[in-house]
């Protein structure tokens, strides 16, 4: 059995258990929480190198051959996402050490973060749809506790739509899995990919749309995204950064996986639906963001808007568009978590997240302003940052498919993204601090960062922004990686052969 | 039997969705619970259950003697029931705490997160 694809699930599990066992000692929590994220990064790099060298890595759990057992399969796309999750895990666990208060730590904050990571990595790596459902539940229950940890009234009220919609989505996912098994007789994704073309087309399209709704809720896709802006601004900012980086992206991952591997028999219906929903997701998300005056809510709407671009790449369904989607996914995760963490620092300095009450940060913290500009322009898509190449790739792919309406939408939304980023810039950084709005002006105290920005907060933010810059400067080699991942996605035969072994041609 | 199961699943879905759309927290819990059960009944029905023998393979045979029901959907349901129990337990505690904090059972009154 190949151990590499199992390690990114095993390491967070061990860390979570370690945090639980050592819950009396805060020092141990920090050590396991941050050290575990470092270990996860090492394991993720190893997995990525292995998959890059020798193709998809497969582990048949318990030695049961596919499709009878549960398969853990890391293709290049999965390995890239695991690596991305590990990078974000490192940044957020370090940032957490500077902002998360002691009661939350005592209630097992770091253990929950690692349980969440286990669920996320499991979802990225599993080769079985029912197992995917189980990993979804693992990450959901961890996220439920993380979003309510602390028990403030606004957290509890924000968690209600989050929990309800996610449980509804799980019930739909489960129903879709049940129907699919009833029709196809298997849930192994590689096996499904072989069997689905022979099955009744209309039934498969109906099942595919059921999956689209279930994963669409999780990915915060139009018109199913309302739970996200209603809940994401309530927990401490670092938790929001972690959620924005990983949770909706797991939904997008699941969409990409099933709509490239399993449901490709009726692209005229399913992928056109995806394109239309992607366009609406972009537009509604960015319009919501433009209207907001709270930094965290503004950024939460941007999550939705960026999901639209990812769905667009999947909907276009060419090798070029999928490569752009893979690159975009990594770029947006890094840019968004940087922005959320900057919002956390700014909010900690001013004890408010209201743009009207923020101000003067440029003169006071010039380095923070520069880091913000890097991430914001990357998100908006200005060269030479990563966001530019991501959007360029998507738009070129759209032009090649002659899908002009969605290209126009993508460009217009990009402009509005820039507008809302400029809004944060001018309100929080550029304008003079409003009179009497010094630190601690009686507003509610968010994760207390203190007047001096601790290196625990600054280091991850600067590192993530540097990574975003690097992704733009080294766009060529990184795009080559995304290209190869897309080729594997567009040609499922590689994945199928890796999971099921060599088969005679039908 | 398939027809009965289909009607049961449909009824559970209808009742669950109806309850979810009410404003009361209590009905929200019941709705979520019913939706989970509806999915389980649906999986059971989609697995084409038949009256027959246990799906055991006799000595020297290569397949169970028919008629038998596919045991996999039932295994899936067992897993789903356990997971659903855990998530529902969390949801109940969450709604109880939210009810205590907001001192109301009406979801429309809970605007704390939007303020």
């Amino acid at each position: 059995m190949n151990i590499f694809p199992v390690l990114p699930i095993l390491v967070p599990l061990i860390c979570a258990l370690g945090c639980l066992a050592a819950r009396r000692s805060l020092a141990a929590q920090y050590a396991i929480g941050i050290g575990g994220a470092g270990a996860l990064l090492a394991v993720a790099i190893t997995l990525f190198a292995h998959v890059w060298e020798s193709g998809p890595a497969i582990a048949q759990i318990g030695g049961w051959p596919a499709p009878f057992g549960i398969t853990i399969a890391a293709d290049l796309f999965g390995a890239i996402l695991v690596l991305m999750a590990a990078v974000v895990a490192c940044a957020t666990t370090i940032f957490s050490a500077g902002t998360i208060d002691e009661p939350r730590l005592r209630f097992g904050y770091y253990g929950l973060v690692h349980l969440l990571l286990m669920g996320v990595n499991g979802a990225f790596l599993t080769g079985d749809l029912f197992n995917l459902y189980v990993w979804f539940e693992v990450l959901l229950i961890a996220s439920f506790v993380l979003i309510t940890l602390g028990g403030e009234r606004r957290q509890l009220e924000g968690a209600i739509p989050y929990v309800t919609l996610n449980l509804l989505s799980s019930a739909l996912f489960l129903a879709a899995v049940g129907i699919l098994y009833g029709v196809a007789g298997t849930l192994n994704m590689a096996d499904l990919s072989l069997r689905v073309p022979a099955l009744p087309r209309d039934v498969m399209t109906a099942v595919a749309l059921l999956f689209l709704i279930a994963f669409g809720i999780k990915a915060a896709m139009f018109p199913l995204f309302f739970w996200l802006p209603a809940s994401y601004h309530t927990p401490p900012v670092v938790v929001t950064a972690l959620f924005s980086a990983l949770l909706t992206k797991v939904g997008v991952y699941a969409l990409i996986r099933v709509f490239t591997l399993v449901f490709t028999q009726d692209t005229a219906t399913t992928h056109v639906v995806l394109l239309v929903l992607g366009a609406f997701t972009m537009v509604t998300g960015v319009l919501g963001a433009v209207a907001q005056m709270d930094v965290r809510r503004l950024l939460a709407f941007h999550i939705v808007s960026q999901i639209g671009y990812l769905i667009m790449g999947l909907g276009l369904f060419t090798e070029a568009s999928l490569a752009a989607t893979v690159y975009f996914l990594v770029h947006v995760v890094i840019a968004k978590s940087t922005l959320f963490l900057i919002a956390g620092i700014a909010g900690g300095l001013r004890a408010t997240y209201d743009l009207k009450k923020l101000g003067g940060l440029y003169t006071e913290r010039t380095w923070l302003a520069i880091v913000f500009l890097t991430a914001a322009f990357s998100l908006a898509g200005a060269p030479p940052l990563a966001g530019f190449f991501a959007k360029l790739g998507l738009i070129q792919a759209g032009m090649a498919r002659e899908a002009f309406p969605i290209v126009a939408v993508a460009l217009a939304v990009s402009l509005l993204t820039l507008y809302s980023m400029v809004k944060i810039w001018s309100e929080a950084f550029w304008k003079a601090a409003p009179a009497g709005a010094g630190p601690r002006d009686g507003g509610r105290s968010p994760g207390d960062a203190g007047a001096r920005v601790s290196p625990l907060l600054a280091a991850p933010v600067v590192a993530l922004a540097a990574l975003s810059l690097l992704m733009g400067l080294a766009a060529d080699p990184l795009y080559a990686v995304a290209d190869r991942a897309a080729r594997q996605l567009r040609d499922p035969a590689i994945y199928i052969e890796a999971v099921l072994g060599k088969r005679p041609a039908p | 039997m398939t027809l009965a199961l289909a009607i049961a699943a449909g009824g559970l879905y209808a009742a669950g969705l109806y309850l979810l759309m009410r404003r009361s927290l209590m009905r929200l819990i019941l709705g979520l619970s019913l939706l989970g059960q509806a999915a389980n009944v649906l999986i059971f029905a989609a697995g084409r259950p038949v009256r027959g023998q246990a799906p055991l393979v006799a000595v020297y045979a290569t397949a169970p003697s028919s008629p038998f029901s596919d045991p996999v959907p039932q295994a899936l349901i067992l897993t789903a029931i356990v997971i659903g129990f855990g998530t529902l337990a969390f949801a109940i505690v969450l709604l109880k705490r939210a009810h205590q904090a907001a001192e109301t059972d009406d979801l429309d009154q809970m605007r704390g997160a939007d303020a």
Side-chain angles (χ1 to χ4, degrees):
Chain A
M1 190 175 94
N2 191 334
I3 189 77
F4 290 111
V6 187
L7 283 177
I9 301 170
L10 224 47
V11 168
L13 175 65
I14 293 167
C15 293
L17 292 176
C19 282
L20 199 62
R23 65 184 178 283
R24 283 173 207 288
S25 153
L26 276 186
Q29 299 285 320
Y30 287 125
I32 300 172
I34 298 172
L40 180 61
L41 183 62
V43 165
I45 291 172
T46 323
L47 174 67
F48 177 78
H50 179 76
V51 173
W52 179 256
E53 289 297 322
S54 42
I58 309 296
Q60 311 285 5
I61 301 301
W64 293 90
F68 304 110
I70 289 170
T71 307
I72 301 288
D75 65 345
L76 194 54
F77 181 45
I80 290 172
L81 292 186
V82 167
L83 184 57
M84 175 198 85
V87 168
V88 174
C90 284
T92 48
T93 46
I94 295 171
F95 194 93
S96 303
T99 53
I100 295 296
D101 48 27
E102 199 182 310
R104 283 193 170 91
L105 286 173
R106 294 226 179 266
F107 273 105
Y109 170 80
Y110 275 119
L112 290 163
V113 168
H114 278 283
L115 273 183
L116 182 75
L117 288 169
M118 174 173 85
V120 168
N121 286 340
F124 287 154
L125 293 174
T126 186
D128 182 280
L129 272 178
F130 190 76
N131 198 229
L132 182 64
Y133 165 76
V134 175
W135 289 124
F136 263 129
E137 296 300 300
V138 170
L139 73 89
L140 273 185
I141 198 85
S143 75
F144 288 170
V145 185
L146 272 178
I147 205 169
T148 51
L149 193 63
E152 294 167 24
R153 180 179 164 183
R154 46 200 305 282
Q155 278 186 297
L156 295 172
E157 293 184 357
I160 291 175
Y162 177 76
V163 170
T164 311
L165 265 292
N166 274 297
L167 289 182
L168 178 66
S169 144
S170 295
L172 289 174
F173 181 15
L174 189 60
V177 164
I179 297 172
L180 187 60
Y181 183 82
V183 182
T186 180
L187 289 172
N188 182 296
M189 290 196 267
D191 201 24
L192 277 173
S193 181
L194 293 176
R195 290 195 195 192
V196 162
L199 295 168
R201 223 168 95 124
D202 42 355
V203 177
M204 278 301 115
T205 306
V207 175
L209 292 179
L210 202 50
F211 274 103
L212 178 68
I213 296 170
F215 294 149
I217 295 178
K218 294 196 194 290
M221 195 172 77
F222 177 88
L224 310 161
F225 65 85
F226 292 99
W227 57 269
L228 192 150
S231 61
Y232 263 33
H233 61 287
T234 56
V237 167
V238 61
V239 174
T240 314
L242 189 66
F243 281 17
S244 91
L246 299 180
L247 295 192
T248 47
K249 306 310 179 285
V250 176
V252 173
Y253 163 82
L255 279 174
I256 293 178
R257 182 62 82 202
V258 298
F259 282 99
T260 55
L261 187 60
V262 181
F263 300 116
T264 52
Q265 83 295 349
D266 190 10
T267 51
T269 310
T270 50
H271 289 63
V272 169
V273 170
L274 279 170
L275 266 186
V276 173
L277 292 179
F280 276 108
T281 310
M282 279 187 243
V283 174
T284 45
V286 84
L287 288 182
V290 165
Q292 294 301 319
M293 280 310 278
D294 177 305
V295 185
R296 292 172 304 172
R297 298 184 64 125
L298 196 159
L299 291 174
F301 271 104
H302 267 297
I303 301 174
V304 177
S305 170
Q306 303 297 317
I307 295 293
Y309 283 96
L310 299 168
I311 306 287
M312 168 188 167
L314 173 61
L316 289 171
F317 201 50
T318 61
E319 206 175 293
S321 81
L322 287 172
T325 307
V326 174
Y327 186 83
F328 199 111
L329 188 54
V330 178
H331 139 70
V332 76
V333 160
I334 290 171
K336 278 321 290 274
S337 34
T338 320
L339 287 172
F340 268 112
L341 296 183
I342 291 171
I345 294 179
L349 288 169
R350 290 282 186 268
T352 178
Y353 292 99
D354 188 347
L355 279 175
K356 287 185 196 128
K357 293 183 191 150
L358 288 165
L361 283 170
Y362 176 72
T363 46
E364 198 180 306
R365 305 265 188 258
T366 311
W367 66 269
L368 191 65
I370 293 169
V371 174
F372 172 79
L373 273 190
T374 317
F377 273 101
S378 185
L379 193 73
L385 297 158
F388 170 72
F389 296 102
K391 281 185 183 156
L392 183 69
L394 272 183
I395 285 165
Q396 279 178 339
M399 296 297 261
R401 280 285 311 270
E402 300 187 342
F404 298 120
I406 191 131
V407 169
V409 170
L411 288 171
V413 167
S414 188
L415 212 60
L416 284 170
T417 308
L418 186 62
Y419 167 72
S420 59
M421 288 295 134
V422 168
K423 182 167 146 186
I424 300 184
W425 169 259
S426 62
E427 292 287 333
F429 290 92
W430 201 242
K431 84 168 185 227
R440 320 271 166 279
D441 64 338
R444 58 167 188 280
S445 170
D448 187 4
R452 200 179 62 86
V453 177
S454 134
L456 285 174
L457 308 187
V461 173
V462 173
L464 283 178
L467 200 59
S468 188
L469 190 64
L470 193 72
M471 268 188 75
L473 295 177
D476 198 42
L478 292 178
Y479 224 95
V481 177
D483 252 337
R484 202 203 278 189
R487 217 171 309 139
Q488 290 185 5
L489 285 175
R490 198 65 186 79
D491 180 15
I494 304 168
Y495 184 92
I496 295 167
E497 194 184 299
V499 172
L500 297 177
K502 279 226 185 293
R503 294 240 158 158
Chain B
M1 177 147 93
T2 311
L3 183 67
L5 285 172
I7 292 170
L12 284 170
Y13 270 115
L17 287 173
Y18 174 77
L19 288 171
L20 272 190
M21 284 178 228
R22 305 271 87 193
R23 293 193 308 201
S24 139
L25 280 180
M26 190 60 214
R27 299 205 168 108
L28 187 70
I29 298 177
L30 292 175
L32 284 175
S33 156
L34 287 185
L35 276 185
Q37 301 313 319
N40 290 338
V41 175
L42 181 66
I43 298 175
F44 188 59
R48 297 198 187 83
V50 289
R51 279 174 190 280
Q53 281 121 0
L56 298 174
V57 183
V59 185
Y60 301 121
T62 54
S65 52
S66 60
F68 70 96
S69 291
D70 187 350
V72 175
Q74 291 157 39
L76 300 184
I77 294 169
L78 275 181
T79 316
I81 288 174
V82 174
I83 293 174
F85 177 75
T87 48
L88 195 67
F90 177 85
I92 290 171
V93 174
L94 169 70
L95 296 182
K96 176 167 179 289
R97 289 290 312 275
H99 175 64
Q100 283 172 339
E103 290 170 348
T104 172
D105 184 50
D106 186 344
L107 282 167
D108 277 5
Q109 304 289 317
M110 295 197 175
R111 312 304 293 179
D114 289 332

